[in-house]
PDB file of all heavy atoms in Angstrom:
ATOM      1  N   ALA B1007     -42.856   2.946   5.303  1.00 95.00           N
ATOM      2  CA  ALA B1007     -43.589   2.182   4.284  1.00 95.00           C
ATOM      3  C   ALA B1007     -44.563   1.199   4.932  1.00 95.00           C
ATOM      4  O   ALA B1007     -45.703   1.056   4.490  1.00 95.00           O
ATOM      5  CB  ALA B1007     -42.617   1.443   3.370  1.00 95.00           C
ATOM      6  N   LEU B1008     -44.115   0.547   5.984  1.00 96.00           N
ATOM      7  CA  LEU B1008     -44.989  -0.419   6.659  1.00 96.00           C
ATOM      8  C   LEU B1008     -46.152   0.295   7.333  1.00 96.00           C
ATOM      9  O   LEU B1008     -47.282  -0.202   7.332  1.00 96.00           O
ATOM     10  CB  LEU B1008     -44.185  -1.226   7.683  1.00 96.00           C
ATOM     11  CG  LEU B1008     -44.959  -2.320   8.427  1.00 96.00           C
ATOM     12  CD1 LEU B1008     -45.537  -3.354   7.459  1.00 96.00           C
ATOM     13  CD2 LEU B1008     -44.073  -3.006   9.464  1.00 96.00           C
ATOM     14  N   HIS B1009     -45.884   1.459   7.875  1.00 95.00           N
ATOM     15  CA  HIS B1009     -46.942   2.235   8.502  1.00 95.00           C
ATOM     16  C   HIS B1009     -48.003   2.625   7.468  1.00 95.00           C
ATOM     17  O   HIS B1009     -49.195   2.428   7.691  1.00 95.00           O
ATOM     18  CB  HIS B1009     -46.348   3.499   9.150  1.00 95.00           C
ATOM     19  CG  HIS B1009     -47.346   4.315   9.899  1.00 95.00           C
ATOM     20  ND1 HIS B1009     -47.504   5.665   9.701  1.00 95.00           N
ATOM     21  CD2 HIS B1009     -48.250   3.958  10.845  1.00 95.00           C
ATOM     22  CE1 HIS B1009     -48.461   6.112  10.503  1.00 95.00           C
ATOM     23  NE2 HIS B1009     -48.927   5.102  11.208  1.00 95.00           N
ATOM     24  N   LYS B1010     -47.553   3.118   6.330  1.00 95.00           N
ATOM     25  CA  LYS B1010     -48.485   3.471   5.255  1.00 95.00           C
ATOM     26  C   LYS B1010     -49.302   2.255   4.831  1.00 95.00           C
ATOM     27  O   LYS B1010     -50.515   2.344   4.645  1.00 95.00           O
ATOM     28  CB  LYS B1010     -47.707   3.998   4.029  1.00 95.00           C
ATOM     29  CG  LYS B1010     -47.257   5.452   4.143  1.00 95.00           C
ATOM     30  CD  LYS B1010     -47.169   6.100   2.756  1.00 95.00           C
ATOM     31  CE  LYS B1010     -46.644   7.539   2.841  1.00 95.00           C
ATOM     32  NZ  LYS B1010     -45.183   7.609   2.600  1.00 95.00           N
ATOM     33  N   GLU B1011     -48.622   1.137   4.680  1.00 94.00           N
ATOM     34  CA  GLU B1011     -49.298  -0.084   4.249  1.00 94.00           C
ATOM     35  C   GLU B1011     -50.350  -0.520   5.274  1.00 94.00           C
ATOM     36  O   GLU B1011     -51.449  -0.927   4.899  1.00 94.00           O
ATOM     37  CB  GLU B1011     -48.255  -1.192   4.064  1.00 94.00           C
ATOM     38  CG  GLU B1011     -48.818  -2.457   3.458  1.00 94.00           C
ATOM     39  CD  GLU B1011     -47.736  -3.523   3.298  1.00 94.00           C
ATOM     40  OE1 GLU B1011     -46.536  -3.150   3.206  1.00 94.00           O
ATOM     41  OE2 GLU B1011     -48.097  -4.717   3.274  1.00 94.00           O
ATOM     42  N   ALA B1012     -50.006  -0.381   6.541  1.00 94.00           N
ATOM     43  CA  ALA B1012     -50.964  -0.740   7.582  1.00 94.00           C
ATOM     44  C   ALA B1012     -52.210   0.138   7.489  1.00 94.00           C
ATOM     45  O   ALA B1012     -53.334  -0.359   7.468  1.00 94.00           O
ATOM     46  CB  ALA B1012     -50.318  -0.610   8.954  1.00 94.00           C
ATOM     47  N   LEU B1013     -51.982   1.443   7.380  1.00 93.00           N
ATOM     48  CA  LEU B1013     -53.120   2.358   7.291  1.00 93.00           C
ATOM     49  C   LEU B1013     -53.975   2.039   6.070  1.00 93.00           C
ATOM     50  O   LEU B1013     -55.200   2.024   6.146  1.00 93.00           O
ATOM     51  CB  LEU B1013     -52.632   3.810   7.237  1.00 93.00           C
ATOM     52  CG  LEU B1013     -51.869   4.311   8.476  1.00 93.00           C
ATOM     53  CD1 LEU B1013     -51.585   5.795   8.362  1.00 93.00           C
ATOM     54  CD2 LEU B1013     -52.627   4.008   9.764  1.00 93.00           C
ATOM     55  N   ALA B1014     -53.324   1.747   4.950  1.00 93.00           N
ATOM     56  CA  ALA B1014     -54.051   1.409   3.722  1.00 93.00           C
ATOM     57  C   ALA B1014     -54.882   0.142   3.908  1.00 93.00           C
ATOM     58  O   ALA B1014     -55.906  -0.042   3.234  1.00 93.00           O
ATOM     59  CB  ALA B1014     -53.074   1.236   2.561  1.00 93.00           C
ATOM     60  N   ASN B1015     -54.461  -0.716   4.817  1.00 93.00           N
ATOM     61  CA  ASN B1015     -55.219  -1.940   5.102  1.00 93.00           C
ATOM     62  C   ASN B1015     -56.133  -1.783   6.315  1.00 93.00           C
ATOM     63  O   ASN B1015     -56.538  -2.764   6.922  1.00 93.00           O
ATOM     64  CB  ASN B1015     -54.256  -3.103   5.317  1.00 93.00           C
ATOM     65  CG  ASN B1015     -53.692  -3.617   4.013  1.00 93.00           C
ATOM     66  OD1 ASN B1015     -54.258  -4.502   3.393  1.00 93.00           O
ATOM     67  ND2 ASN B1015     -52.594  -3.028   3.573  1.00 93.00           N
ATOM     68  N   ARG B1016     -56.432  -0.534   6.633  1.00 92.00           N
ATOM     69  CA  ARG B1016     -57.344  -0.205   7.738  1.00 92.00           C
ATOM     70  C   ARG B1016     -56.875  -0.758   9.085  1.00 92.00           C
ATOM     71  O   ARG B1016     -57.691  -1.107   9.938  1.00 92.00           O
ATOM     72  CB  ARG B1016     -58.757  -0.709   7.443  1.00 92.00           C
ATOM     73  CG  ARG B1016     -59.430  -0.010   6.253  1.00 92.00           C
ATOM     74  CD  ARG B1016     -60.896  -0.351   6.190  1.00 92.00           C
ATOM     75  NE  ARG B1016     -61.376  -0.391   4.806  1.00 92.00           N
ATOM     76  CZ  ARG B1016     -61.105  -1.406   3.966  1.00 92.00           C
ATOM     77  NH1 ARG B1016     -60.378  -2.428   4.361  1.00 92.00           N
ATOM     78  NH2 ARG B1016     -61.573  -1.367   2.734  1.00 92.00           N
ATOM     79  N   VAL B1017     -55.558  -0.867   9.255  1.00 92.00           N
ATOM     80  CA  VAL B1017     -55.008  -1.230  10.555  1.00 92.00           C
ATOM     81  C   VAL B1017     -54.616   0.062  11.247  1.00 92.00           C
ATOM     82  O   VAL B1017     -53.752   0.782  10.763  1.00 92.00           O
ATOM     83  CB  VAL B1017     -53.763  -2.127  10.401  1.00 92.00           C
ATOM     84  CG1 VAL B1017     -53.139  -2.411  11.753  1.00 92.00           C
ATOM     85  CG2 VAL B1017     -54.128  -3.419   9.685  1.00 92.00           C
ATOM     86  N   ARG B1018     -55.259   0.366  12.364  1.00 91.00           N
ATOM     87  CA  ARG B1018     -54.933   1.592  13.074  1.00 91.00           C
ATOM     88  C   ARG B1018     -53.750   1.346  13.992  1.00 91.00           C
ATOM     89  O   ARG B1018     -53.831   0.557  14.929  1.00 91.00           O
ATOM     90  CB  ARG B1018     -56.152   2.122  13.820  1.00 91.00           C
ATOM     91  CG  ARG B1018     -57.134   2.801  12.841  1.00 91.00           C
ATOM     92  CD  ARG B1018     -58.526   3.077  13.400  1.00 91.00           C
ATOM     93  NE  ARG B1018     -58.523   3.572  14.771  1.00 91.00           N
ATOM     94  CZ  ARG B1018     -58.750   2.780  15.833  1.00 91.00           C
ATOM     95  NH1 ARG B1018     -58.977   1.502  15.667  1.00 91.00           N
ATOM     96  NH2 ARG B1018     -58.756   3.311  17.031  1.00 91.00           N
ATOM     97  N   VAL B1019     -52.639   1.986  13.654  1.00 92.00           N
ATOM     98  CA  VAL B1019     -51.406   1.815  14.413  1.00 92.00           C
ATOM     99  C   VAL B1019     -50.579   3.075  14.221  1.00 92.00           C
ATOM    100  O   VAL B1019     -50.613   3.688  13.150  1.00 92.00           O
ATOM    101  CB  VAL B1019     -50.649   0.552  13.925  1.00 92.00           C
ATOM    102  CG1 VAL B1019     -50.306   0.650  12.457  1.00 92.00           C
ATOM    103  CG2 VAL B1019     -49.393   0.300  14.739  1.00 92.00           C
ATOM    104  N   SER B1020     -49.886   3.470  15.268  1.00 91.00           N
ATOM    105  CA  SER B1020     -49.090   4.695  15.159  1.00 91.00           C
ATOM    106  C   SER B1020     -47.705   4.363  14.604  1.00 91.00           C
ATOM    107  O   SER B1020     -47.234   3.232  14.686  1.00 91.00           O
ATOM    108  CB  SER B1020     -48.940   5.347  16.522  1.00 91.00           C
ATOM    109  OG  SER B1020     -48.077   4.582  17.326  1.00 91.00           O
ATOM    110  N   LEU B1021     -47.061   5.393  14.046  1.00 93.00           N
ATOM    111  CA  LEU B1021     -45.713   5.202  13.508  1.00 93.00           C
ATOM    112  C   LEU B1021     -44.748   4.785  14.616  1.00 93.00           C
ATOM    113  O   LEU B1021     -43.878   3.930  14.408  1.00 93.00           O
ATOM    114  CB  LEU B1021     -45.243   6.502  12.842  1.00 93.00           C
ATOM    115  CG  LEU B1021     -43.874   6.476  12.180  1.00 93.00           C
ATOM    116  CD1 LEU B1021     -43.763   5.378  11.135  1.00 93.00           C
ATOM    117  CD2 LEU B1021     -43.570   7.837  11.543  1.00 93.00           C
ATOM    118  N   ALA B1022     -44.938   5.352  15.793  1.00 92.00           N
ATOM    119  CA  ALA B1022     -44.065   4.990  16.923  1.00 92.00           C
ATOM    120  C   ALA B1022     -44.168   3.501  17.225  1.00 92.00           C
ATOM    121  O   ALA B1022     -43.162   2.832  17.471  1.00 92.00           O
ATOM    122  CB  ALA B1022     -44.430   5.805  18.157  1.00 92.00           C
ATOM    123  N   THR B1023     -45.379   2.973  17.186  1.00 93.00           N
ATOM    124  CA  THR B1023     -45.563   1.547  17.453  1.00 93.00           C
ATOM    125  C   THR B1023     -44.950   0.702  16.343  1.00 93.00           C
ATOM    126  O   THR B1023     -44.392  -0.370  16.600  1.00 93.00           O
ATOM    127  CB  THR B1023     -47.055   1.227  17.642  1.00 93.00           C
ATOM    128  OG1 THR B1023     -47.515   1.922  18.790  1.00 93.00           O
ATOM    129  CG2 THR B1023     -47.305  -0.255  17.809  1.00 93.00           C
ATOM    130  N   VAL B1024     -45.024   1.185  15.112  1.00 96.00           N
ATOM    131  CA  VAL B1024     -44.377   0.457  14.019  1.00 96.00           C
ATOM    132  C   VAL B1024     -42.869   0.374  14.272  1.00 96.00           C
ATOM    133  O   VAL B1024     -42.274  -0.702  14.172  1.00 96.00           O
ATOM    134  CB  VAL B1024     -44.661   1.122  12.658  1.00 96.00           C
ATOM    135  CG1 VAL B1024     -43.815   0.475  11.564  1.00 96.00           C
ATOM    136  CG2 VAL B1024     -46.138   1.007  12.308  1.00 96.00           C
ATOM    137  N   TYR B1025     -42.261   1.476  14.641  1.00 96.00           N
ATOM    138  CA  TYR B1025     -40.824   1.457  14.963  1.00 96.00           C
ATOM    139  C   TYR B1025     -40.550   0.476  16.105  1.00 96.00           C
ATOM    140  O   TYR B1025     -39.643  -0.357  16.023  1.00 96.00           O
ATOM    141  CB  TYR B1025     -40.352   2.852  15.382  1.00 96.00           C
ATOM    142  CG  TYR B1025     -39.930   3.726  14.220  1.00 96.00           C
ATOM    143  CD1 TYR B1025     -40.724   4.767  13.784  1.00 96.00           C
ATOM    144  CD2 TYR B1025     -38.724   3.499  13.563  1.00 96.00           C
ATOM    145  CE1 TYR B1025     -40.334   5.574  12.723  1.00 96.00           C
ATOM    146  CE2 TYR B1025     -38.328   4.300  12.514  1.00 96.00           C
ATOM    147  CZ  TYR B1025     -39.130   5.341  12.093  1.00 96.00           C
ATOM    148  OH  TYR B1025     -38.737   6.133  11.054  1.00 96.00           O
ATOM    149  N   ASN B1026     -41.306   0.604  17.170  1.00 95.00           N
ATOM    150  CA  ASN B1026     -41.072  -0.276  18.320  1.00 95.00           C
ATOM    151  C   ASN B1026     -41.234  -1.735  17.918  1.00 95.00           C
ATOM    152  O   ASN B1026     -40.414  -2.582  18.291  1.00 95.00           O
ATOM    153  CB  ASN B1026     -42.031   0.075  19.454  1.00 95.00           C
ATOM    154  CG  ASN B1026     -41.723   1.441  20.053  1.00 95.00           C
ATOM    155  OD1 ASN B1026     -40.592   1.911  19.969  1.00 95.00           O
ATOM    156  ND2 ASN B1026     -42.725   2.089  20.626  1.00 95.00           N
ATOM    157  N   THR B1027     -42.268  -2.007  17.158  1.00 96.00           N
ATOM    158  CA  THR B1027     -42.544  -3.389  16.756  1.00 96.00           C
ATOM    159  C   THR B1027     -41.440  -3.936  15.868  1.00 96.00           C
ATOM    160  O   THR B1027     -40.985  -5.075  16.050  1.00 96.00           O
ATOM    161  CB  THR B1027     -43.903  -3.455  16.041  1.00 96.00           C
ATOM    162  OG1 THR B1027     -44.905  -2.951  16.923  1.00 96.00           O
ATOM    163  CG2 THR B1027     -44.248  -4.887  15.647  1.00 96.00           C
ATOM    164  N   LEU B1028     -40.977  -3.135  14.928  1.00 97.00           N
ATOM    165  CA  LEU B1028     -39.895  -3.603  14.055  1.00 97.00           C
ATOM    166  C   LEU B1028     -38.658  -3.948  14.887  1.00 97.00           C
ATOM    167  O   LEU B1028     -37.995  -4.957  14.641  1.00 97.00           O
ATOM    168  CB  LEU B1028     -39.560  -2.546  13.008  1.00 97.00           C
ATOM    169  CG  LEU B1028     -40.586  -2.393  11.874  1.00 97.00           C
ATOM    170  CD1 LEU B1028     -40.260  -1.185  11.006  1.00 97.00           C
ATOM    171  CD2 LEU B1028     -40.630  -3.657  11.004  1.00 97.00           C
ATOM    172  N   HIS B1029     -38.364  -3.136  15.874  1.00 96.00           N
ATOM    173  CA  HIS B1029     -37.198  -3.435  16.708  1.00 96.00           C
ATOM    174  C   HIS B1029     -37.417  -4.663  17.588  1.00 96.00           C
ATOM    175  O   HIS B1029     -36.510  -5.470  17.770  1.00 96.00           O
ATOM    176  CB  HIS B1029     -36.814  -2.213  17.540  1.00 96.00           C
ATOM    177  CG  HIS B1029     -36.143  -1.166  16.708  1.00 96.00           C
ATOM    178  ND1 HIS B1029     -36.498   0.158  16.739  1.00 96.00           N
ATOM    179  CD2 HIS B1029     -35.164  -1.267  15.779  1.00 96.00           C
ATOM    180  CE1 HIS B1029     -35.748   0.830  15.873  1.00 96.00           C
ATOM    181  NE2 HIS B1029     -34.937  -0.008  15.276  1.00 96.00           N
ATOM    182  N   GLN B1030     -38.629  -4.796  18.118  1.00 95.00           N
ATOM    183  CA  GLN B1030     -38.919  -5.991  18.914  1.00 95.00           C
ATOM    184  C   GLN B1030     -38.801  -7.240  18.056  1.00 95.00           C
ATOM    185  O   GLN B1030     -38.222  -8.242  18.477  1.00 95.00           O
ATOM    186  CB  GLN B1030     -40.325  -5.897  19.508  1.00 95.00           C
ATOM    187  CG  GLN B1030     -40.465  -4.850  20.596  1.00 95.00           C
ATOM    188  CD  GLN B1030     -41.890  -4.337  20.719  1.00 95.00           C
ATOM    189  OE1 GLN B1030     -42.787  -4.740  19.971  1.00 95.00           O
ATOM    190  NE2 GLN B1030     -42.102  -3.428  21.657  1.00 95.00           N
ATOM    191  N   PHE B1031     -39.346  -7.184  16.863  1.00 96.00           N
ATOM    192  CA  PHE B1031     -39.262  -8.329  15.940  1.00 96.00           C
ATOM    193  C   PHE B1031     -37.800  -8.633  15.603  1.00 96.00           C
ATOM    194  O   PHE B1031     -37.402  -9.788  15.509  1.00 96.00           O
ATOM    195  CB  PHE B1031     -40.053  -8.057  14.659  1.00 96.00           C
ATOM    196  CG  PHE B1031     -41.552  -8.181  14.791  1.00 96.00           C
ATOM    197  CD1 PHE B1031     -42.152  -8.296  16.046  1.00 96.00           C
ATOM    198  CD2 PHE B1031     -42.370  -8.187  13.669  1.00 96.00           C
ATOM    199  CE1 PHE B1031     -43.538  -8.395  16.173  1.00 96.00           C
ATOM    200  CE2 PHE B1031     -43.749  -8.301  13.785  1.00 96.00           C
ATOM    201  CZ  PHE B1031     -44.337  -8.401  15.040  1.00 96.00           C
ATOM    202  N   THR B1032     -37.026  -7.583  15.433  1.00 96.00           N
ATOM    203  CA  THR B1032     -35.611  -7.789  15.100  1.00 96.00           C
ATOM    204  C   THR B1032     -34.873  -8.445  16.263  1.00 96.00           C
ATOM    205  O   THR B1032     -34.134  -9.406  16.073  1.00 96.00           O
ATOM    206  CB  THR B1032     -34.952  -6.445  14.750  1.00 96.00           C
ATOM    207  OG1 THR B1032     -35.644  -5.870  13.635  1.00 96.00           O
ATOM    208  CG2 THR B1032     -33.485  -6.636  14.369  1.00 96.00           C
TER     209      THR B1032
END
Side-chain angles (χ1 to χ4, degrees):
Chain B
L1008 182 60
H1009 184 231
K1010 280 209 183 96
E1011 187 180 336
L1013 297 186
N1015 283 270
R1016 294 191 213 75
V1017 176
R1018 284 166 41 261
V1019 59
S1020 71
L1021 182 56
T1023 296
V1024 172
Y1025 273 106
N1026 292 335
T1027 302
L1028 286 172
H1029 285 132
Q1030 290 154 359
F1031 284 11
T1032 301

